[in-house]
Amino acid sequence: MAASLSAAASVRLLSSLSRSGSLCGSRGLHVSAARCKNQAARAKVGKGDRPLTYEQALPPHQIGHRKGWLSQHPSNLRGEDGAADRTVEDVFVRRFMFGTFHGCLANEVVIKRRGNVLVVCALMLQKMPPPKFYFLIGYSEALLSHLYKCPVKLEVQTLQDKTVYKYL
Amino acid sequence: MASHTRKAFLSLGRINAAGLGLQRPASRVTYATDLSINSSAGKKGFPDRGGRGFVRRPRRPVGEPRTEKMPVDQDWTAVYPTATPFRPNAVPLPVRMGYPVKGGVPPEKKGNLELIKIPNFLHLTPAAIKKHCEALKPFCTEWPSALDTDARCDEHFPIKVTSTDYMSAGTSVRNPSARVVHLNVKLSSLNLDDHASKKMLKLVGNRYCKDTDVLTVKADSCPLRQQNQDYAMYLLTVLYHESWKTETWESEKSVADMEEYSWEDSPSQRNILDTLVRMKAAGEGEGEGEEVREQLLGRIEVQEYKDSVTRLKNEGESESAMLQYKEAVKKVLNL
């Protein structure tokens, strides 16, 4: 990763390469200093035609200020166990939902835990006929309940189109 | 494929919405394939207005939301009987949530993920709580009328056993900290005489709180809560019986083992009596004798001196204790 190369190290590398290049030819590797920039989950400003939802438009440093948490559970509190297990469960559930309802998810999946129960809240687009939706919802609930040995409930709301917050 | 033909059928025959199970052979219509391409374009397929030049039509007419059909005096506990995430079509309130765009307003409730993220208490309206209470009443019994004050409860139930239950969001109900048991009892409620109470205090050490006179025994060495409870009761029984017994080696108790300072036979008593006797001898030239010492002991100033020294030694140094000592010394030495 470019981030691991400091400015001094890259200069040294550049100088050594240029020296080696002068002996056997003039082909060298050109390296510029790394710009350690935060770019996680941030939408780049474009021409103004790209629609973004509220979730996509706000960068991650606004979590806790203008954004809520997509998944909250008491294992993240001080002195509680099981934080890693819950996180792995969350990651798997999000991938599962993305794959099962492919192309239908309007927004991120919200995961809530009430005691033993895992409640997965999803906003969907009306792309499939309702019977298909019902089948997939039942299938996901049954499969996830069996996988995690706890009751899993899916709360699905459907929309016509995605709610646009901003155009970037 | 079957799925595509079914999609085509639905988009063509919107009126026959009931006949979804029928498998009519239908020719492939152009926009079925378009839709399939669109859906594979990305995680969230947006209508491609620039490229294709048509707008995606909903497959069947979207019904009106439930909020339109709600009467004003409806039973809200039927709409939200249990804890459920926020449903914009079921909550007839014009809530808005989110940071507004510049020159705009917070986004509306339809499709608002922020409203779904937060916990809501729509299932806990006063009417709902009344219903809960009414449902729980048959299972409740009256509090015994004889136990109306805390003092009476302590008198009849002096031993209090405390344990904690833990709830977490995981798949397992087990928590190792749930086995800890605390047993609290006031020593004044136990039948202990002077020797027994002193021995009990030495046996328990810092498990006793002097201010509240409460002995706390914490049992957490067994894996189960019931075992820890039994062990704590057993410890209390053993402590009680052991403190009543007097061992042979207890007669070797020295001054250093004493819990309280007692003035009798202490260096302070000897010193003050010696001083007073010498003062008296210097003044009147009388001989030493036991009667003189006893007489001196009987004097009020000597008693006051005894009280002040005992207080200083037992309670520690404080303003009032030092003043009391100063006054007593001045009186005794006739300053």
Side-chain angles (χ1 to χ4, degrees):
Chain A
M1 279 285 292
S4 60
L5 221 60
S6 68
S10 60
V11 165
R12 264 184 263 128
L13 177 66
L14 184 62
S15 54
S16 66
L17 281 165
S18 61
R19 261 182 269 130
S20 64
S22 60
L23 279 173
C24 43
S26 60
R27 260 211 257 168
L29 175 68
H30 296 263
V31 174
S32 59
R35 174 109 193 267
C36 306
K37 198 174 150 68
N38 274 345
Q39 52 184 15
R42 281 170 177 80
K44 287 218 185 324
V45 177
K47 285 202 203 109
D49 56 350
R50 193 156 61 107
L52 290 178
T53 57
Y54 189 85
E55 192 64 34
Q56 290 165 322
L58 294 182
H61 65 264
Q62 296 288 6
I63 293 175
H65 300 272
R66 296 180 193 174
K67 259 163 98 158
W69 279 268
L70 287 169
S71 139
Q72 272 174 315
H73 47 271
S75 310
N76 281 338
L77 295 173
R78 186 190 165 118
E80 298 287 331
D81 303 317
D85 299 321
R86 306 290 95 73
T87 315
V88 169
E89 280 170 21
D90 281 357
V91 170
F92 179 81
V93 164
R94 282 177 210 284
R95 276 179 188 245
F96 184 88
M97 294 298 290
F98 176 52
T100 318
F101 297 90
H102 195 86
C104 297
L105 282 177
N107 215 328
E108 299 282 337
V109 171
V110 169
I111 298 175
K112 298 186 174 198
R113 282 180 175 82
R114 239 173 257 133
N116 201 12
V117 179
L118 196 69
V119 181
V120 180
C121 315
L123 282 170
M124 309 263 182
L125 297 170
Q126 288 160 359
K127 285 191 112 167
M128 293 191 293
K132 218 175 201 174
F133 261 118
Y134 293 145
F135 168 76
L136 284 177
I137 291 170
Y139 154 83
S140 319
E141 285 190 359
L143 203 65
L144 288 172
S145 310
H146 276 281
L147 280 172
Y148 287 124
K149 309 279 184 284
C150 65
V152 175
K153 290 202 182 123
L154 240 66
E155 301 274 344
V156 169
Q157 294 171 30
T158 47
L159 301 168
Q160 294 265 60
D161 301 303
K162 286 206 270 186
T163 38
V164 179
Y165 175 67
K166 243 189 196 179
Y167 287 92
L168 275 189
Chain B
M1 281 185 290
S3 55
H4 285 303
T5 50
R6 206 180 285 164
K7 268 192 214 168
F9 161 73
L10 277 164
S11 48
L12 289 169
R14 242 175 299 163
I15 309 155
N16 277 352
L20 289 166
L22 295 172
Q23 294 277 345
R24 267 199 232 153
S27 57
R28 278 239 203 131
V29 188
T30 42
Y31 57 100
T33 50
D34 276 342
L35 279 161
S36 62
I37 290 169
N38 245 351
S39 59
S40 60
K43 177 175 169 203
K44 299 146 191 183
F46 247 69
D48 199 353
R49 289 167 196 263
R52 304 273 161 218
F54 73 93
V55 180
R56 190 205 302 149
R57 255 173 274 159
R59 237 62 67 85
R60 57 202 268 197
V62 178
E64 57 170 17
R66 187 177 168 178
T67 50
E68 311 290 327
K69 307 174 212 161
M70 280 179 173
V72 177
D73 55 349
Q74 70 175 333
D75 182 22
W76 182 252
T77 55
V79 184
Y80 262 85
T82 48
T84 20
F86 184 83
R87 289 191 187 124
N89 291 339
V91 177
L93 301 167
V95 246
R96 286 181 173 268
M97 177 141 173
Y99 193 76
V101 219
K102 192 169 171 187
V105 288
E108 55 170 13
K109 63 178 181 176
K110 190 160 170 256
N112 197 329
L113 201 68
E114 300 299 312
L115 282 164
I116 299 175
K117 285 179 192 172
I118 52 168
N120 66 63
F121 296 96
L122 294 161
H123 58 291
L124 292 175
T125 47
I129 295 180
K130 260 205 195 111
K131 276 194 181 174
H132 293 329
C133 293
E134 289 303 319
L136 286 171
K137 269 211 171 77
F139 302 103
C140 299
T141 51
E142 285 276 335
W143 182 259
S145 51
L147 295 173
D148 45 0
T149 56
D150 272 342
R152 287 235 186 104
C153 291
D154 291 341
E155 175 200 328
H156 290 283
F157 301 97
I159 302 178
K160 295 175 180 29
V161 176
T162 320
S163 56
T164 320
D165 283 300
Y166 292 86
M167 227 184 79
S168 69
T171 47
S172 164
V173 269
R174 310 288 166 214
N175 193 319
S177 337
R179 71 186 199 284
V180 176
V181 165
H182 291 263
L183 189 141
N184 290 312
V185 65
K186 277 206 164 137
L187 284 189
S188 49
S189 54
L190 295 173
N191 181 21
L192 296 165
D193 72 349
D194 188 44
H195 159 264
S197 56
K198 288 205 175 125
K199 187 165 177 191
M200 171 76 94
L201 292 177
K202 279 208 187 293
L203 282 172
V204 301
N206 62 350
R207 292 181 190 81
Y208 174 73
C209 173
K210 235 192 209 169
D211 301 322
T212 54
D213 188 38
V214 165
L215 164 68
T216 310
V217 171
K218 179 179 165 188
D220 59 355
S221 40
C222 304
L224 297 179
R225 187 190 292 166
Q226 186 57 45
Q227 294 171 344
N228 279 319
Q229 267 175 355
D230 297 337
Y231 182 58
M233 287 305 293
Y234 161 76
L235 278 180
L236 185 65
T237 321
V238 162
L239 279 170
Y240 180 75
H241 288 296
E242 283 298 315
S243 57
W244 270 102
K245 285 188 212 162
T246 313
E247 307 278 339
T248 44
W249 44 260
E250 283 185 42
S251 54
E252 296 163 22
K253 194 174 179 186
S254 64
V255 175
D257 296 322
M258 295 289 179
E259 297 86 8
E260 274 184 340
Y261 177 79
S262 67
W263 195 71
E264 288 82 27
D265 297 330
S266 75
S268 173
Q269 184 192 22
R270 265 180 274 126
N271 289 343
I272 194 71
L273 287 175
D274 285 340
T275 321
L276 287 174
V277 160
R278 265 189 233 129
M279 274 165 59
K280 243 193 161 166
E284 297 163 355
E286 231 180 85
E288 271 185 46
E290 272 303 315
E291 320 88 48
V292 180
R293 294 182 100 93
E294 278 178 30
Q295 208 182 27
L296 285 169
L297 264 177
R299 276 174 37 190
I300 304 173
E301 297 95 11
V302 178
Q303 292 295 322
E304 274 181 26
Y305 180 75
K306 167 194 165 186
D307 289 333
S308 67
V309 170
T310 319
R311 188 184 162 192
L312 263 178
K313 290 269 182 180
N314 280 340
E315 292 172 22
E317 291 183 16
S318 68
E319 277 279 353
S320 52
M322 289 306 281
L323 281 171
Q324 193 186 357
Y325 180 70
K326 171 179 130 186
E327 295 300 318
V329 165
K330 282 205 301 199
K331 278 196 202 153
V332 153
L333 300 178
N334 297 328
L335 294 168

